[in-house]
Amino acid sequence: MITARDAGLVACRSCASVWPQDQATCGRCGARLQSRDTGSLQRVWAWWAAGVICYIPANATPMLITRTLVTKQDNTIVGGAVEIAKHGDVLIALVVLVASVMIPVGKFLAIAYLALTLRRGTVQSAHGRQVLYEVVDFIGRWSMIDVFVVAILSALVQLSVVASIRPGPAALTFALSVIFTMLSAQSFDSRLIWDEAQLDGPDTPLPDLDTEPAAPRPDQPQGETS
Amino acid sequence: MQQPTLQDAPGPTRDSDGAELIACPSCDAIYRVQVPPKGGKAVCARCKTVLIRPRRKAGLRIIALTLAITILVTAAVFFPFLEIHAAGMGNRTSLLDIATSFRSGILVLVSVSTVSMIVLIPLLRTALLLYVLVPVVFDRPPARHAREAFRLSQVIKPWAMTEIFAIGCAVALVKISDLARLDFGPAFWMFCLLVVIVVVNDAYMCTWSVWKSLEDRA
């Protein structure tokens, strides 16, 4: 196992090709080449802070303003989920709570943990942290569910005086918080996680890439080619 | 001693015996390229990231599915999506109404990003993919600026949120089930189909193979 940096090379993160260390742009895909993204942590923390700041008003102000003939109701994110649970749809209430409370808070904690442990070190393996990073990166987009629900409801429920739903200010701050956190996760250069891992010396021959054959499929004869 | 040699010729750095190299974008480990058989995959030994995953007839399938996505998103914008009825009154909504539902003041920003994430970015992505892949699959030289187009399509991928929007619909339905009666319009079913196609399409896409064939045909 040897890294591109130790071999005096630079890898393109966009197309996985390998170039001499002093080359500035990738000859295959045209992306900018950087052995390690030196500004990575600064951008991670900047977007992270912006995301946390937006998340506070997102929970304190109403997300959904519902008017019916007799009532007017302002629902915050958590309030809305509690409302759904009261109607008996505990499962849906859980989906909302997971998507708009657990995932955002979990992401803030996970990104902070990944960024802090780069400097301080940790007992957790690099592979464990890589998996954590991939989960954070994958799951972040799903928090947009709540914003979309508000959009659908406020477009659909416009029945003049009988019932109408309007978006509250939290729709904006929550959407911003999700976007900023996605940008924070994207700024993180996961290669930094692996840098202190144990490596072979630079004189070791390069390994071949491991390949796995296709999983056998019962419905198709083996050895068929296109 | 087997240091990779730096060569003057253009093209990626090769191993001392001429083998092509591949670097894991997640952990920077380098390997000599071994292309797996169709349907198989090549995985980084250190961080387990999938690096190469060729599929049989992937190009044609991606083009067909991408065309389907383009048609479905366009249609879903204009057809009625959901309908509600309560106390003798009704309202029907197309995707366009939903996307532009935040009209007051600064909430327009949410409207803009909703339109982008569920309509504009998915459509831009399908257009870019078709532009890049059609010439390559039909054995023509790559289109002009194909590299920039494919790179852009990769960058905007996380921001295309059709499948998330579909789950949002389900949540919205439950939220107002006691307030009004709901009916699904044709666009709703188109959207369900769309979500399946988006997921299948992404599974067929092997970025390494696309970059490789763009380079080979240039």
Side-chain angles (χ1 to χ4, degrees):
Chain A
M1 190 72 56
I2 179 171
T3 65
R5 184 173 68 172
D6 292 339
L9 301 166
V10 56
C12 174
R13 296 197 79 190
S14 158
C15 69
S17 59
V18 179
W19 302 90
Q21 198 150 44
D22 48 1
Q23 188 151 341
T25 52
C26 174
R28 179 178 284 175
C29 71
R32 203 159 61 95
L33 293 176
Q34 241 182 336
S35 184
R36 290 296 177 274
D37 189 345
T38 42
S40 167
L41 276 184
Q42 274 187 37
R43 274 180 290 123
V44 168
W45 282 118
W47 290 123
W48 185 87
V52 172
I53 290 170
C54 286
Y55 191 65
I56 297 166
N59 276 284
T61 54
M63 185 92 165
L64 218 53
I65 302 165
T66 316
R67 263 179 235 270
T68 59
L69 274 177
V70 283
T71 57
K72 176 174 181 289
Q73 199 178 17
D74 291 356
N75 277 135
T76 57
I77 292 171
V78 176
V82 171
E83 194 79 8
I84 298 176
K86 273 187 197 157
H87 289 309
D89 293 305
V90 179
L91 199 68
I92 298 291
L94 276 180
V95 169
V96 174
L97 275 182
V98 167
S100 33
V101 181
M102 268 180 61
I103 292 182
V105 173
K107 269 183 70 173
F108 292 138
L109 294 178
I111 294 174
Y113 168 76
L114 287 172
L116 287 174
T117 49
L118 281 187
R119 295 246 173 84
R120 307 207 176 149
T122 168
V123 290
Q124 198 192 2
S125 70
H127 188 249
R129 283 178 287 151
Q130 171 77 26
V131 170
L132 180 63
Y133 172 69
E134 275 163 18
V135 169
V136 165
D137 200 35
F138 170 81
I139 223 165
R141 317 155 62 228
W142 287 91
S143 301
M144 284 304 281
I145 280 189
D146 235 32
V147 178
F148 292 153
V149 169
V150 173
I152 295 167
L153 289 183
S154 38
L156 194 59
V157 186
Q158 296 297 339
L159 304 171
S160 66
V161 291
V162 177
S164 75
I165 291 181
R166 285 195 303 116
L172 175 66
T173 44
F174 188 78
L176 284 178
S177 174
V178 175
I179 291 171
F180 289 152
T181 324
M182 279 175 73
L183 290 169
S184 175
Q186 286 175 10
S187 308
F188 190 80
D189 186 345
S190 63
R191 294 176 296 190
L192 297 169
I193 294 178
W194 295 90
D195 276 348
E196 77 271 43
Q198 199 65 46
L199 287 168
D200 299 329
D203 294 349
T204 2
L206 291 181
D208 283 342
L209 189 56
D210 277 343
T211 60
E212 294 170 19
R217 288 195 299 186
D219 55 318
Q220 283 199 348
Q222 286 296 302
E224 186 198 340
T225 51
S226 54
Chain B
M1 173 107 176
Q2 202 178 7
Q3 276 287 1
T5 47
L6 309 185
Q7 51 183 18
D8 298 328
T13 307
R14 289 174 180 276
D15 201 1
S16 47
D17 56 355
E20 195 185 347
L21 301 181
I22 185 170
C24 173
S26 296
C27 76
D28 211 33
I30 44 179
Y31 304 92
R32 296 143 56 97
V33 169
Q34 301 286 317
V35 180
K38 303 259 162 146
K41 60 183 177 181
V43 180
C44 172
R46 182 154 74 148
C47 72
K48 314 296 177 216
T49 303
V50 177
L51 298 179
I52 309 177
R53 191 208 303 252
R55 290 278 179 271
R56 271 191 296 130
K57 295 181 184 164
L60 269 181
R61 285 184 184 166
I62 294 174
I63 288 175
L65 293 172
T66 307
L67 268 177
I69 294 173
T70 314
I71 294 166
L72 282 174
V73 172
T74 317
V77 169
F78 298 107
F79 281 98
F81 198 79
L82 294 168
E83 255 180 79
I84 58 166
H85 300 280
M89 277 191 269
N91 186 27
R92 54 165 53 176
T93 324
S94 71
L95 214 54
L96 206 60
D97 299 321
I98 292 174
T100 55
S101 60
F102 302 91
R103 281 186 214 90
S104 54
I106 195 153
L107 289 179
V108 166
L109 286 178
V110 187
S111 209
V112 172
S113 52
T114 311
V115 180
S116 311
M117 286 167 183
I118 61 183
V119 180
L120 298 182
I121 293 180
L123 282 182
L124 173 63
R125 187 152 186 266
T126 57
L128 289 170
L129 285 180
L130 289 175
Y131 179 78
V132 172
L133 292 178
V134 169
V136 170
V137 171
F138 293 102
D139 274 330
R140 302 274 162 78
R144 286 185 62 199
H145 302 299
R147 298 193 318 176
E148 287 79 1
F150 189 58
R151 210 144 44 84
L152 181 60
S153 81
Q154 291 301 110
V155 171
I156 63 178
K157 189 178 168 190
W159 304 98
M161 301 197 183
T162 32
E163 70 275 26
I164 297 166
F165 183 77
I167 306 287
C169 288
V171 176
L173 293 184
V174 177
K175 267 198 162 176
I176 52 171
S177 56
D178 59 325
L179 197 69
R181 194 167 61 80
L182 265 168
D183 291 313
F184 304 111
F188 181 82
W189 302 111
M190 285 183 208
F191 229 76
C192 295
L193 183 61
L194 183 66
V195 172
V196 177
I197 299 181
V198 167
V199 172
V200 173
N201 200 14
D202 286 344
Y204 271 113
M205 183 81 117
C206 170
T207 38
W208 187 85
S209 310
V210 175
W211 283 123
K212 184 80 183 134
S213 44
L214 279 179
E215 186 182 64
D216 290 349
R217 282 161 221 269

